[in-house]
Amino acid sequence: MVTNDEPTRILVVDDEEIALNNLKHVLKKEGYEVTASQSGPRALYLLEENMFDLVLTDLKMEKVGGMQILKRTRELYPDTEVIMITGYATVDSAIEAMKGGAYHYIAKPYKLDEVRKVVREALEKTRLKRENSRLREHLKAFQGDARIITDNPGMKKLLATAGQVATSDSNVVICGESGTGKELLAQFVHSCSNRRNGPLLSVNCGAFQEDLLANELFGHEKGAFTGAVEMKKGLVEMADGGTLFLDEITEMSPAMQVKLLRVIQEKEVMHLGGVSPIKVNVRFLAATNRNLQEEVKLGHFRQDLFFRINVVALHIPPLAERKDDLPLLIQHFIRKYGVLMHKEVRNIEPEVVDILLRYDFPGNVRELENIIERGVALASGDTIEVGHLPEDLRDASFHTFRRKSGGIPSLADQERAYIEWVLREHGDNKSLAAQVLGIDRVSLWRKIKKYELEG
């Protein structure tokens, strides 16, 4: 059977009445819903009106033969398999039909066990193809079109700005902590741009040594160095008419920054070992988890390149600053990994959500996705439970100190955040909080006044 919910539907076409009735009888005994036609034109009409899980058709028939039925089935229902029925004299033709997309052929006179076996195998292939098609559609919903899941006002404003910027050809820098979704935002900008039909290519500038990165970006001529046995286009050239995303751009060496600056200014690229520049039309998107202006001040990033690449800056806030998105993101990842793992996980215990709401996610959305993926993998029923969380999350006896506004928090900031957290964890019971902090109640009171934690 192709599905458990609906009967498996088979179309049988043969202009010999006895052969047609025999096949119909055998397949009905197997539990299939069988539609029989003694006419090729009638079979084409039935295909137009109904979807079948499998088609068995005689190869040689008057007016409309098996090859025409095969072709039309392929056009209407690409996942439906077709089995050819043929006499001994036309086996070669049946093999040709298989080359045209038929699943198998059955030669007359056929054995009933052979028919049953081939039909079962063809239906299983149909089932797998349809399941894969459904999976691809689900994955498109999760991975395609740069879907950014948010209901946070700040994120919505950021996306609106990104959408406006996208229609220009301005270069863009996307800033944010690791795991916030910088590459996803780059995909969003590209998909909203006038270049959306062109290529979107990406490279992690921190993943290559300088010479290898130069080769990746600019390509080389044949014989440019030992091992260069043929010409290779670089990513800049391959992205012509589209967008090139430079992830971790602050990891680029000063020498590479000079080369990139020239490409942006001159709108041309030179292969390693080349003598003639190649004109390119590329939009550059860059990403960094550092403060780019601070990198310029420290001399780690060229100021002239900064002005060329940083025409517009988009900053993605950390997940800790958009906790209102957690329920949406959690459900999104549950659906995603339920599909990928073929599991019926749909729910999450309220205690799990409470733990996640109190966590600061130093790894941001990527860390949340990993946590939910783990939960779906471990769930034996339809619900993610506390026991499916990593051990350090299960006890919830932690607090994560984060960088604020791109800088490292001061000791006073750390102390204030820690005292505030301990008070919250103990229901604002100051005696208990002082005991946990290892100080007396008077000292705690002074710190509360100092950090204005009252009210």
Side-chain angles (χ1 to χ4, degrees), residues 3-200:
T3 69
N4 294 323
D5 302 320
E6 298 178 0
T8 302
R9 308 184 72 238
I10 299 177
L11 175 63
V12 181
V13 190
D14 198 319
D15 57 3
E16 293 182 16
E17 185 177 0
I18 295 175
L20 183 68
N21 289 335
N22 284 342
L23 275 175
K24 184 178 178 180
H25 175 71
V26 169
L27 295 174
K28 279 192 169 182
K29 282 187 68 175
E30 292 295 308
Y32 305 126
E33 183 180 299
V34 183
T35 300
S37 174
Q38 209 174 330
S39 156
R42 171 69 179 167
L44 290 179
Y45 170 79
L46 290 168
L47 282 169
E48 296 285 348
E49 295 297 311
N50 307 278
M51 185 182 76
F52 294 92
D53 301 305
L54 179 65
V55 176
L56 286 86
T57 178
D58 194 8
L59 180 61
K60 297 292 184 180
M61 295 183 292
E62 293 185 4
K63 295 183 180 177
V64 174
M67 289 298 292
Q68 288 171 273
I69 292 172
L70 168 64
K71 182 181 177 184
R72 192 58 183 147
T73 302
R74 277 277 168 266
E75 290 171 350
L76 292 171
Y77 316 111
D79 294 337
T80 296
E81 294 297 339
V82 178
I83 296 174
M84 286 293 182
I85 303 168
T86 178
Y88 284 123
T90 55
V91 169
D92 288 342
S93 300
I95 292 172
E96 286 301 312
M98 289 177 65
K99 291 179 181 178
Y103 173 74
H104 200 61
Y105 73 89
I106 299 174
K108 297 178 181 178
Y110 42 75
K111 297 178 181 179
L112 295 183
D113 284 344
E114 178 191 7
V115 173
R116 295 188 187 99
K117 179 176 181 292
V118 173
V119 165
R120 279 196 302 271
E121 291 171 349
L123 285 170
E124 176 62 13
K125 186 174 180 184
T126 295
R127 184 190 69 78
L128 290 172
K129 286 167 71 176
R130 288 185 181 165
E131 185 177 312
N132 286 337
S133 295
R134 285 193 294 271
L135 180 60
R136 281 194 298 271
E137 286 302 311
H138 280 296
L139 289 176
K140 184 179 178 182
F142 293 125
Q143 299 174 344
D145 301 326
R147 295 183 71 233
I148 297 177
I149 309 299
T150 186
D151 200 32
N152 176 267
M155 279 295 293
K156 285 183 175 180
K157 185 176 180 181
L158 172 67
L159 291 178
T161 302
Q164 289 178 318
V165 171
T167 56
S168 73
D169 248 3
S170 300
N171 297 326
V172 177
V173 169
I174 301 170
C175 305
E177 295 180 6
S178 295
T180 48
K182 296 187 290 295
E183 185 165 5
L184 190 60
L185 185 58
Q187 291 170 11
F188 175 82
V189 170
H190 174 76
S191 68
C192 294
S193 75
N194 299 325
R195 297 172 174 265
R196 56 185 169 274
N197 295 323
L200 169 62

Side-chain angles (χ1 to χ4, degrees), residues 195 198-201 234-245 280-283:
R195 297 172 174 265
L200 169 62
L201 303 180
L235 292 175
V236 174
E237 187 179 355
M238 291 167 64
D240 187 47
T243 306
L244 181 60
F245 176 59
V280 289
N281 174 20
V282 178
R283 182 194 202 167

